[in-house]
């Protein structure tokens, strides 16, 4: 099971890898003599860019969630009922 921090690192790593793959496909398009192969490379680059964008978005959401978790954990239990409710809701999501 991954922690939020590990999930953020993983999502960013996948995004970076897919961005690199897209660049490789772009370079392959330039070197292709066959239009069919070039079109496959363009399609591959588009797919890699989409995957990279989705993982960047996922990392962004996870960072936002981590901030919220950290803020709740650092609160005092002054408003114990509200904090308890939020903690219960967070556990239901996982």
């Amino acid at each position: 099971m991954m922690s939020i921090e590990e999930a953020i690192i993983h999502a960013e790593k996948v995004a970076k890898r897919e961005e690199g793959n897209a660049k490789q496909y772009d370079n392959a398009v330039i070197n292709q003599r066959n239009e069919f192969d070039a079109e496959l490379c363009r399609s591959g680059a588009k797919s890699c860019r989409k995957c990279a964008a989705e993982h960047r978005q996922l990392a962004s959401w996870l960072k936002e969630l981590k901030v919220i978790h950290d803020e709740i954990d650092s609160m005092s239990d002054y408003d114990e009922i509200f904090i308890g409710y939020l903690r219960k809701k967070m556990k239901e999501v996982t």
Side-chain angles (χ1 to χ4, degrees), residues 22-76:
K23 287 179 185 177
Q24 287 180 341
Y25 277 119
D26 287 340
N27 291 335
V29 169
I30 293 167
N31 296 325
Q32 292 300 326
R33 295 172 194 232
N34 181 321
E35 186 58 36
F36 178 75
D37 290 339
E39 187 55 39
L40 284 176
C41 288
R42 281 188 205 92
S43 175
K46 182 178 178 183
S47 176
C48 289
R49 283 191 187 90
K50 182 177 186 290
C51 183
E54 289 170 350
H55 278 82
R56 290 268 179 233
Q57 180 65 59
L58 177 60
S60 176
W61 286 335
L62 289 169
K63 287 176 184 176
E64 186 177 332
L65 178 62
K66 184 180 181 320
V67 167
I68 292 167
H69 274 246
D70 291 347
E71 286 177 4
I72 290 171
D73 284 343
S74 69
M75 294 174 122
S76 69

Side-chain angles (χ1 to χ4, degrees), residues 3 6 21 31 43 45 52 55 64 66 73 81 85 87 94:
S3 68
E6 291 168 330
N21 289 344
N31 296 325
S43 175
H55 278 82
E64 186 177 332
K66 184 180 181 320
D73 284 343
I81 295 171
Y85 170 78
R87 286 188 176 132
T94 58

